[in-house]
Amino acid sequence: MTRENTGYPIRETRTDADGKVWNWAQNATLGDKNAVSAPETEAELQALVASSQGKIRMMGSKMSPGRMIELAERGDTLLDMSRLRGLLAITDDSATFAGGTPLHEVYEILSGVGRMLPASPGVIASQSLAGALATGTHGQGLQQSSIADEALSIRMVLADGSIKEFDRDHRWFAAVQLGLGSLGVVTQVTLRTQPSLIYTCFKTAVTADTLEQDLIDWNTNYALSKAWWFPDENQVHVWAAREATPEEEERYHDNNDELVKQEETSDAMNQTIEQTLEHMRSDTKIVDEEGKPFRTVTRFKDFSDVTGDVYQVFCRGIATPQINVEIGIPLSRVGEVIAKIKAWHADTQPHMHYPIILRCTGASSSWLSPSYGEETCYFGFVVYYAEDGTLSEEGVNFLRAVEEVLVAEGGRPHWGKYFEAPLYDWAALYPHWGDFAEVRAALDPQHKFDNAFTAALFD
């Protein structure tokens, strides 16, 4: 373990009495507690923004790395939008929510009226709707993309306190969809909805020998697919879901619309999971065998097929402090990239305590989405914090090295996760980078919604 030179922040385990606001992972301070403002109405928010002499950043659910949210200097404002939440309007094919609404409330409300978003959910549902749009939160499945791609209109308070609504016909909509919190304060989002669908998800364990082609096949043949690749064991755990048959759907409804788990289970992943747990215990020194990091992989033991709605099946993440790196690669190149990772892994034998997560999405229309313009496969890498807030030095070295491998392949990082910004040539990666900067200059000419991170990106 090391507390220095890791390249990633250590985690503080005691932060209650320091007068600071910390991000969710408690590895970064966002500002002083007295810098937080929590408006109760949109009008109050307008007045606050218009009168502010300093910078403003929205903290959402504080799930992002600190650099995305933290204030630049004293006198700046950390905006808490949690009081502006809930369903505002609903039609036959859309629903309007306040920007501060947590995703789990969005999902619960829609499920309660038999509706769902066309976008597959992200893993963690505690993030705010506006925050999910701002960072490009996505799920899995080539027939959909990020949650932002299901937005029909977005309402924002701009830097002068005025209100502006953007719909899909607006020439700047593709910038507003994923704005990194640098264009204005999102107060309302109208989302496209569709009738709620029931899925049966088939779970299997296979060799990684043919992963290059298998990944394409799973995503082509199933509506939704997610895979966990264990390179050390040359094994892949796959979830592939299709719409349930009438008989499967009937069993689901007979189970009071609760997730149906098949009685037949498979132990094909058990040995691999035990080896993974051994690495995790060694790295994290967490004594509790039921600790959250361990539960993220023990759920793969004795697995079974399931039937449920999209949220019951896929929104199953266990929030636990971690360093999470996720890089998007064009799906057209995913086979050669997997082959290069295999060769790199064989040459370097990196230390890993969690599998590589593979999720693919359709093309996004958001200018700054890693999926902009083409089907994309996201490669996810995780290192969990140790009990004392440190990180495994070997784990950190692995994250650094694998990110460099994917950067060389033209990878685009997930904005709400960890990445080494100096590695990337943003203007080369994003065709509309300059167009986004022009929208930012038009909507926020004084850069009121900046902090050090966004200023470094665009200025």
Side-chain angles (χ1 to χ4, degrees), residues 357-379:
I357 307 164
L358 301 170
R359 295 188 291 168
C360 301
T361 74
S364 171
S365 61
S366 304
W367 285 346
L368 296 192
S369 169
S371 299
Y372 176 73
E374 54 192 331
E375 295 176 331
T376 298
C377 181
Y378 288 88
F379 290 72

Side-chain angles (χ1 to χ4, degrees), residues 58-73:
M58 288 67 75
M59 66 183 188
S61 59
K62 301 182 289 187
M63 298 290 288
S64 293
R67 65 184 177 190
M68 178 69 77
I69 317 168
E70 65 187 357
L71 301 181
E73 56 188 53

Side-chain angles (χ1 to χ4, degrees), residues 46 49-50 156-164 166 183-185 443 448-449:
Q46 287 180 267
V49 172
M156 294 198 312
V157 172
L158 302 182
D160 62 359
S162 65
I163 289 175
K164 178 74 174 176
F166 301 84
L183 303 180
V185 185
L443 295 181
K448 181 176 284 189
F449 298 110

Side-chain angles (χ1 to χ4, degrees), residues 12 33 46 80 97 107 121 210 251-252 281 285 294 343:
E12 295 297 334
K33 289 181 178 178
Q46 287 180 267
D80 176 358
F97 291 91
Y107 301 153
T210 54
R251 285 196 294 273
Y252 170 75
R281 293 185 188 106
K285 309 301 182 187
F294 302 139

Side-chain angles (χ1 to χ4, degrees), residues 10-26:
I10 61 172
R11 180 174 185 265
E12 295 297 334
T13 56
R14 301 178 66 180
T15 63
D16 294 338
D18 64 0
K20 301 287 186 180
V21 178
W22 289 76
N23 67 338
W24 174 82
Q26 293 183 191

Side-chain angles (χ1 to χ4, degrees), residues 177-257:
Q177 279 176 292
L178 197 168
L180 302 179
S182 63
L183 303 180
V185 185
V186 173
T187 58
Q188 295 182 23
V189 182
T190 299
L191 297 161
R192 183 167 29 214
T193 68
Q194 66 182 36
S196 186
L197 299 174
I198 307 305
Y199 294 90
T200 292
C201 182
F202 301 94
K203 302 181 182 181
T204 56
V206 300
T207 175
D209 288 348
T210 54
L211 179 58
E212 292 89 332
Q213 183 58 48
D214 290 341
L215 186 68
I216 301 296
D217 293 342
W218 298 325
N219 282 279
T220 301
N221 298 330
Y222 289 88
L224 304 165
S225 179
K226 183 175 183 179
W228 292 261
W229 174 19
F230 297 78
D232 290 345
E233 293 77 22
N234 194 41
Q235 194 170 31
V236 184
H237 184 48
V238 188
W239 292 9
R242 55 146 173 82
E243 288 187 36
T245 65
E247 293 78 13
E248 291 165 344
E249 187 168 347
E250 183 177 2
R251 285 196 294 273
Y252 170 75
H253 293 310
D254 288 343
N255 195 44
N256 298 314
D257 290 358

